[in-house]
Amino acid sequence: MNSYIIRTARPDEAAAIATLIMEAMNHDCCQWFAGPDHTLDDFHGLMTELVMRTDSQYSYLNTQVAIVAHEVVGVCVAYDGARLHELRQAFIDGARQSFGMDHSGMDDETSAGEYYIDCLCVAAPYRKQGIATALIKAVIKKASSLGIPSVGLLVDSGNPKAEHLYTQIGFRYLDDNVWGGHPMRHLVIPW
């Protein structure tokens, strides 16, 4: 078992954070966002830029990281759902500039009153050590300190292991959703 710390991310960790965000999104989804004329490396470049920004949903300011021996081994990107459109604009503009892709018609995956967990990923060698749970608990604590009444997330309907993790922490099913063409389950934890 590795010893780890959980803290807010730093801009100099952007490339490592982008790699884990892409794993959480899954590479097929990342390729879809980049379009047929661009590579996953191109998409990684955009995501790295977005992590370094302060006005992006993927900003280091919205990211809790797990650190083992000075290495980012886990990330949890979360933000106030009321700010979704404002924070998403950097991604929309970046995809348009970098790939010529217009993603402005994306469905909303969150809303006001919810602190939204956008991405959660722990690198494979560090899984099953409590890191994902610790990251989620750090996000719940942050949402509570901001006075946001619930934390929510979408979990792929075909990923019962992830849903089990969330329900063990206290998340409960709210409703069905679709995001990126995938059937999803919307889970929340209120207090």
Side-chain angles (χ1 to χ4, degrees), residues 17-165:
I17 293 166
T19 297
L20 290 171
I21 288 171
M22 288 176 62
E23 186 174 339
M25 292 173 80
N26 92 43
H27 289 154
D28 290 340
C29 183
C30 296
Q31 188 63 63
W32 182 82
F33 279 124
D37 299 327
H38 298 279
T39 66
L40 289 175
D41 285 341
D42 297 333
F43 190 77
H44 186 270
L46 172 61
M47 293 307 295
T48 300
E49 290 175 24
L50 293 173
V51 172
M52 288 190 290
R53 294 177 64 153
T54 59
D55 63 344
S56 158
Q57 68 197 90
Y58 303 108
S59 171
Y60 67 94
L61 296 173
N62 299 328
T63 305
Q64 296 294 309
V65 291
I67 305 292
V68 173
H70 307 290
E71 178 186 355
V72 175
V73 301
V75 300
C76 189
V77 178
Y79 47 83
D80 182 350
R83 297 186 62 211
L84 174 64
H85 292 188
E86 165 196 343
L87 293 171
R88 184 187 278 168
Q89 195 60 50
F91 176 80
I92 292 169
D93 293 344
R96 189 176 290 125
Q97 282 182 318
S98 298
F99 313 129
M101 301 290 290
D102 182 5
H103 296 299
S104 60
M106 281 190 288
D107 293 333
D108 291 351
E109 63 260 40
T110 187
S111 61
E114 178 177 271
Y115 202 73
Y116 180 66
I117 295 177
D118 190 300
C119 294
L120 173 68
C121 185
V122 175
Y126 299 94
R127 293 181 185 153
K128 299 192 185 293
Q129 297 180 31
I131 294 173
T133 299
L135 285 164
I136 292 169
K137 287 182 177 180
V139 165
I140 291 169
K141 184 177 179 181
K142 185 173 181 182
S144 178
S145 74
L146 294 171
I148 299 174
S150 68
V151 173
L153 55 83
L154 296 181
V155 61
D156 194 303
S157 295
N159 193 349
K161 284 184 180 180
E163 186 167 347
H164 179 74
L165 166 70

